[in-house]
Amino acid sequence: MSSNPILCGAHREHPALSERVGLPAPDEIIKLTLILRRRKPASDEHPITSRFTHESLAEAHGADPEDLQAVEEFAAENHFTIAHMNPAARTVTIAGLLPALAAAFGANLELRRAGDRVIRTREGDLQLPECLAHRVEAVLGFDQRPVARTYHAVKARASQSLSYTPRQVAQLYNFPTNTGKGQTIALIELGGGFQSADLKKYWKQIGIGNVAVTAVSVDGAQNSPTGDPNSADGEVVLDIEVAGGIAPAAKIAVYFAGNTDQGFLDAINAAVHDRVRKPSVISISWGGPESSWTPQALNAFNAAFHDAALLGISVCCASGDNGSSDGSDDGSDHVDFPASSPWVLACGGTNLASANGKITSETVWNDGADGGATGGGVSTHFSRPWYQAFTTLPVANGKTALTGRGVPDVAGVADPNTGYIIQVDGSEGVIGGTSAVAPLWAGLIALLNEEIGKNAGFFHWDLYSTLKGTALNDITSGNNGTYIAAHGWDACTGQGSPNGQAILALLKTLIA
């Protein structure tokens, strides 16, 4: 047995209810993503008062050149290939024969049948070669299990008594009337695709010109619409049509990647460090219970979101559609990741009723066990961030004080019963879910950025100190299972839904 050091936080079990069907092919070539330590730690204790360029971030907090050299030497000695290197993101992709890579990192691999798929999965710990010990913080790519999910149900518009276009939602939330010109909104997608004919028809239907939408391939993934609106197509098109409907002059860059921890992180890093398209805001509508991730992955993703904050890029994440349990059946409450990262804007969901262009009521979205409910709760992995220092977190089981990162931060309409009118795969329907709230807030941030003249970036301190109570609609009615809405922050809808013009007025004085 190897005496190489164990990689902290990498332990996995094979998927529950999966069946062993064999071993991976000995001649298979795979790619691994190695995440390296920062050359100098980046502070996470205080508000971000100055922002980095991509160049200065790489110089200050990117990978140490000695660590990069160590990986190159390790690869050469073991006949592996360096497929990609990103010093700013601290990632190195190495390629080689699967058995050799598995031996180098002590990976115990099997082919397992999970549902209707046969995938490669990993069990046990990973080990680091001595030359990489203390240099590498995560190794992703051995395991092919899906790590994220998205929830959306396409309903016939005729069956809905109340539904909105994104433009109507923007008016109800008093969004600025500019268009997001000069901004790029990045969307992270882990499956499905869009059809240009659907988008052109939709833009015309809601009365705007064609929105510039570009598909970006990550790790070979493509824009691959299935033709089924209930597939991942519904998520992809929902994100595009909500973000584009809110900020029609912004450019939409859709980063397609595989639904694994490796593919997901590679897509996030591709967007954060994209010096060509230069996104100012990123929207993510995919996630999974925090408990289903390895600690090494949680920390690697969180560091990528920290990079985004340091660069002045806002990241909006859906908080989940399965209430306080986040769909887990162990009887405990769970928060959704990546919404639980302290460096993202976690977006919860509401039911929004209106009449004559005005909001008449807004409550926590909760349609019961079969209809979905907004995610929210308290992280068991990430500690309470400084901007939530004065936030009252809920008490678990009536007695245990919770001390982690509270989710969500903000909210918006998500209930499919008051959902968004969408055109997907040749048909019109109504879609809901917190999957819609992340691109809603991303579109708003694009408008804010244009009006302010600079990126709002990571504005959580302002959100929790100045914007709350004055620029957000406090939601005080409803629950998502365990947690109950209340005045101020709560674990259902955070600080509330947006009053766009009021947010703009305050941020102009705080940021400009």
Side-chain angles (χ1 to χ4, degrees):
M1 183 176 178
S2 171
S3 60
N4 287 347
I6 291 175
L7 175 59
C8 182
H11 187 86
R12 291 225 78 153
E13 300 291 340
H14 290 305
L17 305 179
S18 65
E19 176 187 0
R20 185 183 188 276
V21 297
L23 297 173
D27 58 350
E28 184 178 358
I29 295 176
I30 70 165
K31 293 180 180 178
L32 299 179
T33 300
L34 309 186
I35 296 89
L36 307 183
R37 63 184 176 179
R38 294 188 188 276
R39 65 193 306 176
K40 185 175 72 173
S43 173
D44 60 0
E45 293 298 324
H46 303 287
I48 296 172
T49 56
S50 60
R51 294 174 181 173
F52 289 83
T53 64
H54 287 92
E55 294 79 8
S56 62
L57 177 65
E59 180 66 26
H61 303 299
D64 190 311
E66 291 186 0
D67 292 349
L68 295 171
Q69 182 178 348
V71 175
E72 288 184 312
E73 292 174 352
F74 160 76
E77 290 171 2
N78 290 275
H79 308 292
F80 303 139
T81 302
I82 300 293
H84 182 70
M85 184 177 288
N86 187 334
R90 307 175 315 285
T91 61
V92 181
T93 303
I94 61 174
L97 284 170
L98 176 56
L101 284 168
F105 291 96
N108 179 15
L109 305 174
E110 291 182 358
L111 293 179
R112 310 279 295 193
R113 186 180 303 280
D116 58 355
R117 297 180 58 197
V118 173
I119 57 176
R120 183 180 67 244
T121 66
R122 178 173 67 80
E123 183 177 60
D125 295 315
L126 290 178
Q127 296 173 334
L128 288 176
E130 284 289 351
C131 62
L132 301 183
H134 309 299
R135 301 181 190 274
V136 172
E137 295 185 336
V139 177
L140 307 179
F142 281 122
D143 202 300
Q144 295 177 314
R145 77 186 75 190
V147 294
R149 57 196 182 191
T150 178
Y151 304 97
H152 61 277
V154 181
K155 299 184 178 182
R157 185 177 176 186
S159 69
Q160 299 300 99
S161 58
L162 188 60
S163 55
Y164 306 101
T165 68
R167 307 293 288 172
Q168 290 171 328
V169 173
Q171 292 169 359
L172 290 170
Y173 284 140
N174 194 29
F175 280 13
T177 57
N178 58 311
T179 60
K181 184 177 180 180
Q183 304 298 309
T184 296
I185 301 172
L187 307 176
I188 306 298
E189 305 295 350
L190 306 180
F194 64 88
Q195 301 182 46
S196 295
D198 284 328
L199 301 183
K200 290 178 180 178
K201 182 176 181 179
Y202 187 73
W203 306 137
K204 183 177 181 180
Q205 178 181 318
I206 66 173
I208 62 176
N210 286 336
V211 178
V213 181
T214 301
V216 182
S217 174
V218 178
D219 298 342
Q222 302 291 326
N223 172 28
S224 303
T226 67
D228 178 4
N230 290 301
S231 71
D233 291 2
E235 180 57 59
V236 175
V237 174
L238 174 68
D239 291 347
I240 294 171
E241 292 180 352
V242 171
I246 298 296
K251 296 178 180 178
I252 309 293
V254 189
Y255 296 77
F256 287 98
N259 188 0
T260 62
D261 51 11
Q262 179 187 35
F264 201 169
L265 180 60
D266 286 351
I268 291 166
N269 277 324
V272 170
H273 297 281
D274 191 336
R275 303 191 192 190
V276 176
R277 299 166 192 86
K278 300 178 181 178
S280 60
V281 56
I282 299 171
S283 176
I284 301 174
S285 296
W286 300 72
E290 195 177 65
S291 57
S292 68
W293 298 76
T294 59
Q296 67 159 354
L298 291 170
N299 294 335
F301 277 62
N302 191 55
F305 296 134
H306 194 176
D307 283 350
L310 293 171
L311 290 165
I313 301 170
S314 305
V315 182
C316 305
C317 293
S319 69
D321 292 3
N322 285 301
S324 57
S325 73
D326 203 30
S328 297
D329 57 4
D330 61 1
S332 299
D333 292 321
H334 296 270
V335 290
D336 205 76
F337 183 81
S340 66
S341 165
W343 295 107
V344 308
L345 187 71
C347 302
T350 69
N351 173 292
L352 182 70
S354 68
N356 302 317
K358 302 291 183 182
I359 297 174
T360 56
S361 69
E362 191 166 17
T363 59
V364 175
W365 167 40
N366 189 342
D367 291 333
D370 297 327
T374 182
V378 180
S379 172
T380 58
H381 182 81
F382 299 106
S383 60
R384 185 194 302 216
W386 47 265
Y387 54 81
Q388 289 187 330
F390 302 104
T391 300
T392 301
L393 297 178
V395 175
N397 304 318
K399 56 184 180 180
T400 306
L402 300 174
T403 59
R405 190 283 204 248
V407 176
D409 299 302
V410 294
V413 56
D415 191 335
N417 293 310
T418 58
Y420 299 75
I421 301 167
I422 296 298
Q423 180 75 31
V424 54
D425 289 329
S427 63
E428 183 180 271
V430 176
I431 304 183
T434 58
S435 298
V437 187
L440 175 75
W441 271 89
L444 171 59
I445 290 170
L447 301 181
L448 299 174
N449 290 346
E450 182 195 6
E451 281 290 308
I452 296 170
K454 62 190 299 185
N455 290 359
F458 186 76
F459 59 94
H460 285 51
W461 176 249
D462 298 323
L463 172 69
Y464 279 82
S465 59
T466 306
L467 300 183
K468 68 173 185 178
T470 57
L472 295 157
N473 307 310
D474 194 7
I475 313 301
T476 60
S477 176
N479 68 81
N480 68 348
T482 296
Y483 304 111
I484 301 172
H487 289 288
W489 183 89
D490 58 63
C492 302
T493 57
Q495 299 285 10
S497 63
N499 180 332
Q501 294 281 6
I503 293 174
L504 173 61
L506 286 171
L507 287 185
K508 274 186 172 180
T509 65
L510 296 168
I511 295 176

